[in-house]
Amino acid sequence: MTAAENTTPAHSLEIERKYDVDDDTRVPDWSALPGVARVGEPEPRDLDARYFDTADAALAQALTALRRRTGGPDAGWHIKRSTPEGKLETQWPLEAGIERVPAGRVDAGDAADIAPLPPAAVIAALTEITAGPFAVVARIRNARTAYALYDTDGGVLAEFVDDRVTATDLRRRVETTWREWELELGPAAPTAATARAVLFAAADTLVERAGGHVSASGSKLARALGG
């Protein structure tokens, strides 16, 4: 089966906390987090994503993001929907093909806007929100360092990532850079809401002691677009 023929998506629920930190903030000792027995080796990832929306920002209004990201273990097409429990992500593999420019681009001379159009299976999954057409609204490049946080049984309790972000709002032609951390629960994380709250509270304390704080922005895309 070719990549173009593989239209069966994968689904996951992301439950995470984002933190704003300065460029020189030192990473906490995550082995101090309750339940963490060992911190994995740092794993560098070079991520590059183009985010799509309609001219009237239909996806943003529906608290939904559509992106095509390369690099890292989950490269592909992603639809991310915000829910009370977390971010519900649907993912398809990267599609081979000639890069084309989505309708609605502002400047046909800017290579940063160029990306393959969303494949039919992805567009079909968004029809309850909009039928498009879609254009690239932002590009987000991220130099990420990831650390797996293991419990005593060797399960992944959470993943911590240290992100250095360069984001371009292609509507306003504005580039911004920042550093942020994310702590995402893993398969071995507690399932009870109260236990998860305790875990995140402990993480908040570790981050605050290091000099960071819980992020005021819900996503990198929102921050890139000025939200």
Side-chain angles (χ1 to χ4, degrees):
M1 179 179 292
T2 67
E5 292 169 335
N6 184 3
T7 59
T8 302
H11 302 278
S12 62
L13 180 65
E14 295 181 353
I15 301 175
E16 64 184 15
R17 185 91 95 215
K18 298 168 68 66
Y19 300 98
D20 292 333
V21 293
D22 295 331
D23 285 342
D24 58 354
T25 304
R26 295 185 64 180
V27 171
D29 178 8
W30 287 105
S31 65
L33 192 68
V36 175
R38 180 173 64 89
V39 178
E41 293 298 315
E43 179 186 335
R45 300 171 185 170
D46 188 15
L47 311 178
D48 191 350
R50 267 76 167 187
Y51 286 79
F52 295 75
D53 208 337
T54 59
D56 60 354
L59 296 182
Q61 293 178 45
L63 302 179
T64 299
L66 166 60
R67 73 183 178 197
R68 182 185 189 271
R69 188 166 76 180
T70 58
D74 64 344
W77 287 94
H78 305 152
I79 295 174
K80 302 184 76 169
R81 296 176 170 88
S82 295
T83 73
E85 294 77 26
K87 292 182 179 178
L88 181 62
E89 179 172 300
T90 308
Q91 178 182 343
W92 293 259
L94 291 172
E95 301 252 346
I98 299 174
E99 290 198 339
R100 294 179 290 168
V101 180
R105 277 185 51 205
V106 176
D107 180 2
D110 192 339
D113 289 8
I114 300 174
L117 291 171
V122 176
I123 293 175
L126 292 168
T127 53
E128 78 279 9
I129 300 174
T130 178
F134 297 100
V136 181
V137 296
R139 180 184 185 186
I140 297 180
R141 288 164 288 174
N142 183 10
R144 166 171 289 182
T145 305
Y147 303 80
L149 309 183
Y150 296 98
D151 64 12
T152 55
D153 296 325
V156 177
L157 182 74
E159 182 182 64
F160 165 72
V161 298
D162 183 0
D163 289 341
R164 296 181 184 270
V165 183
T166 301
T168 306
D169 179 341
L170 294 170
R171 306 168 311 170
R172 298 180 296 139
R173 305 294 164 177
V174 173
E175 182 175 282
T176 53
T177 61
W178 69 88
R179 184 185 180 201
E180 70 177 40
W181 294 343
E182 291 181 4
L183 185 70
E184 181 179 340
L185 298 185
T191 56
T194 52
R196 287 175 172 175
V198 169
L199 182 66
F200 279 125
D204 293 350
T205 298
L206 286 175
V207 172
E208 288 166 4
R209 288 174 179 170
H213 57 272
V214 176
S215 178
S217 180
S219 70
K220 290 180 177 65
L221 178 60
R223 185 164 179 173
L225 299 180

